Amino acid sequence: MKRQLETCFSPALYEEEKHSESVVVVIDVLRASSAICAAFENGAASIIPVAGVEEAREYKSKGYLVAAERDGFVLDFADFGNSPFNFTAEKVRAKTIVYSTTNGTGIIKKASSAHTVVIGSFNNMKALTAWLLNCDRDAVLFAAGWKNRFNLEDSVCAGAFASFLLGSGLYTTVCDSTLAAADLWTLASPDLPGYIEKAAQRSRLREKKLDDCLEYCLTMDVTEKIPVVRNGILVTL
Amino acid sequence: MKRQLETCFSPALYEEEKHSESVVVVIDVLRASSAICAAFENGAASIIPVAGVEEAREYKSKGYLVAAERDGFVLDFADFGNSPFNFTAEKVRAKTIVYSTTNGTGIIKKASSAHTVVIGSFNNMKALTAWLLNCDRDAVLFAAGWKNRFNLEDSVCAGAFASFLLGSGLYTTVCDSTLAAADLWTLASPDLPGYIEKAAQRSRLREKKLDDCLEYCLTMDVTEKIPVVRNGILVTL
């Protein structure tokens, strides 16, 4: 029997009770997913996702390396923020990082009732797709969106995963979100940075001069790392 | 200043507090929006939307004409269900109809805090677009979806409205959902029935043999009627 593929465009649409036996792929392209993949590519040992600022501050006081931002800006007590360029080998190799973002870490917690939660981005698309194809479970592509709204970059990334997974013949779908995402990927794929130019988050990052990493975040297959949540902590498969 | 256009893909994503000064276009293509437009095209005087089955039953006992279905099936006490083909001139001319559907009427209530709530479908697209262009307010395209999920047919219909409204130059958007909807319309418009063939609701209607009205629901500009909510009751503008 073919595995079912579903897509969720916003945390407000996530149906926790449906996915306890599924693999959930959390996608927050600009920038949490891309940053987490970069951290592991550069040798991080593990990442502790925390939703709240105070929790992050407590970890800092205990001596942890802390990445924390709100609305794109680094919090004053943190070591660095949410750009994948912050997670250099020099800073993160063999370290445990405490990571709090506006959006991404809350979603990882929301997905935690699933069988397995992995982090997906354009950066690890080929490796993660190959792993999913070997994993005999239904899958959910969970686009983080922005403040509970649909966003383009995460939906298009979900659509890329959907296209590859459905194209394999191992998955099928009865989910309109999955079909729409795949269609958006079809439109976007000939010129992904050009397509994402119109996205709201692209404008927000530009206004805050945080868009230096945009091209990187939209580059496919720069790492083979697959971040996975184990006992609430991110490690690699 | 240009008016803002937003799109909402599901009742679970509707932000009531944001839209008190906006016109909200409720879109439930298969089949509530299309049926409501058909009722007015065929001379109905007004439609009382009710969310609950018991409320509909009470109206029936008072002698009202009642259209009521759940999951596509006509309720036993009702005069007819949710197909636009039920709302013939013979049955509805000059009548007040009480109307309860699985999805559509609940959404009309949800949108009721907006400045104005109108009903949009492919059937009244040109007339409603022309009216919106003359109405100096921000607009929200509210796709009904299905059981709080995104669906293709309502999103594509929202995208058609979005394309026409943005194309006029009178509206602008910073809403990724609007951009995605417009892109889906671009993909769907050369062969709308062909595109909607893959939608989940299309399959559900086929399984229940309720798909005789599909072609009609996807036909543009069969009526110039614009249903509007006034004091909780649908009339025409």
Side-chain angles (χ1 to χ4, degrees):
Chain A
M1 207 171 82
K2 287 193 184 189
R3 310 163 200 168
Q4 288 292 328
L5 183 62
E6 290 193 35
T7 299
C8 169
F9 283 141
S10 155
L13 300 176
Y14 188 72
E15 299 170 290
E16 286 184 63
E17 69 289 357
K18 278 188 63 192
H19 304 313
S20 59
E21 295 303 316
S22 303
V23 177
V24 174
V25 180
V26 172
I27 300 168
D28 188 2
V29 170
L30 299 175
R31 300 168 293 163
S33 290
S34 309
I36 291 167
C37 288
F40 285 114
E41 176 64 16
N42 289 326
S46 64
I47 298 177
I48 303 174
V50 301
V53 173
E54 285 317 306
E55 203 178 348
R57 195 192 299 268
E58 274 176 41
Y59 273 106
K60 179 64 195 171
S61 70
K62 290 178 197 162
Y64 280 87
L65 194 63
V66 171
E69 50 108 285
R70 281 297 172 280
D71 291 326
F73 293 110
V74 181
L75 297 180
D76 57 359
F77 64 85
D79 295 288
F80 46 81
N82 198 9
S83 169
F85 294 165
N86 294 142
F87 295 75
T88 57
E90 190 183 33
K91 286 184 189 159
V92 307
R93 187 174 306 284
K95 296 270 178 67
T96 289
I97 306 161
V98 170
Y99 190 24
S100 172
T101 74
T102 310
N103 209 0
T105 46
I107 287 156
I108 291 170
K109 299 230 175 211
K110 185 147 199 166
S112 62
S113 59
H115 183 273
T116 306
V117 180
V118 294
I119 306 297
S121 67
F122 288 107
N123 300 158
N124 72 348
M125 185 158 287
K126 192 171 172 181
L128 178 49
T129 300
W131 179 80
L132 286 165
L133 292 177
N134 275 315
C135 173
D136 191 20
R137 289 192 174 273
D138 294 343
V140 182
L141 304 168
F142 187 173
W146 185 75
K147 299 190 175 180
N148 273 341
R149 293 183 203 158
F150 173 97
N151 81 16
L152 269 180
E153 64 276 15
D154 297 338
S155 304
V156 166
C157 185
F161 280 111
S163 294
F164 298 134
L165 294 172
L166 294 172
S168 73
L170 295 174
Y171 289 84
T172 185
T173 193
V174 289
C175 162
D176 279 7
S177 305
T178 301
L179 300 170
D183 280 345
L184 292 174
W185 167 245
T186 300
L187 278 173
S189 56
D191 175 15
L192 183 60
Y195 187 83
I196 295 300
E197 219 21 63
K198 64 186 175 185
Q201 176 74 348
R202 200 269 166 268
S203 303
R204 283 190 289 268
L205 291 175
R206 182 190 284 118
E207 282 160 20
K208 293 173 182 165
K209 301 192 194 309
L210 292 169
D211 60 343
D212 59 324
C213 64
L214 192 90
E215 191 184 331
Y216 174 84
C217 292
L218 301 179
T219 303
M220 290 175 78
D221 309 328
V222 298
T223 177
E224 298 195 342
K225 300 292 181 187
I226 301 170
V228 62
V229 181
R230 297 278 189 233
N231 302 316
I233 293 176
L234 283 157
V235 293
T236 52
L237 279 170
Chain B
M1 208 171 82
K2 288 194 184 187
R3 312 163 198 166
Q4 289 291 328
L5 183 63
E6 291 192 36
T7 300
C8 170
F9 284 141
S10 154
L13 299 176
Y14 187 72
E15 299 170 290
E16 286 184 64
E17 68 289 357
K18 279 189 66 194
H19 304 313
S20 59
E21 295 303 317
S22 304
V23 177
V24 174
V25 180
V26 173
I27 301 167
D28 188 3
V29 170
L30 298 175
R31 301 168 289 161
S33 290
S34 308
I36 290 167
C37 289
F40 286 114
E41 175 64 17
N42 289 328
S46 63
I47 298 176
I48 303 174
V50 301
V53 172
E54 285 317 307
E55 204 179 347
R57 195 193 299 268
E58 276 175 39
Y59 273 106
K60 179 64 196 170
S61 70
K62 290 177 197 162
Y64 281 86
L65 194 62
V66 171
E69 49 108 286
R70 282 298 174 275
D71 293 324
F73 292 110
V74 181
L75 296 180
D76 56 0
F77 64 86
D79 296 288
F80 46 81
N82 198 8
S83 169
F85 293 164
N86 293 142
F87 296 75
T88 58
E90 189 184 35
K91 287 184 190 159
V92 306
R93 188 174 307 282
K95 295 272 178 66
T96 289
I97 307 161
V98 170
Y99 190 25
S100 172
T101 73
T102 311
N103 208 1
T105 46
I107 286 155
I108 290 169
K109 300 233 174 210
K110 185 147 198 165
S112 62
S113 60
H115 182 274
T116 307
V117 180
V118 294
I119 306 297
S121 67
F122 288 107
N123 300 158
N124 71 347
M125 186 158 288
K126 193 172 174 181
L128 178 49
T129 300
W131 178 81
L132 286 165
L133 292 177
N134 275 316
C135 174
D136 192 20
R137 290 192 174 273
D138 295 343
V140 181
L141 304 167
F142 187 172
W146 186 74
K147 298 192 176 179
N148 273 340
R149 294 183 203 158
F150 172 99
N151 81 16
L152 268 180
E153 64 277 15
D154 297 338
S155 304
V156 166
C157 185
F161 280 111
S163 295
F164 298 134
L165 295 172
L166 294 172
S168 73
L170 294 174
Y171 289 84
T172 185
T173 193
V174 290
C175 161
D176 279 7
S177 304
T178 301
L179 300 171
D183 281 345
L184 292 174
W185 167 246
T186 301
L187 277 174
S189 56
D191 175 15
L192 183 59
Y195 187 83
I196 295 301
E197 214 29 56
K198 64 185 173 185
Q201 177 73 349
R202 199 272 166 267
S203 302
R204 282 189 291 268
L205 290 176
R206 183 189 284 118
E207 282 161 20
K208 294 170 182 168
K209 301 192 194 308
L210 293 169
D211 61 343
D212 59 325
C213 64
L214 192 90
E215 191 183 333
Y216 174 84
C217 292
L218 301 179
T219 303
M220 289 174 80
D221 308 329
V222 297
T223 177
E224 298 194 342
K225 301 292 184 188
I226 302 171
V228 61
V229 182
R230 298 276 188 233
N231 302 316
I233 293 176
L234 283 156
V235 293
T236 52
L237 278 171

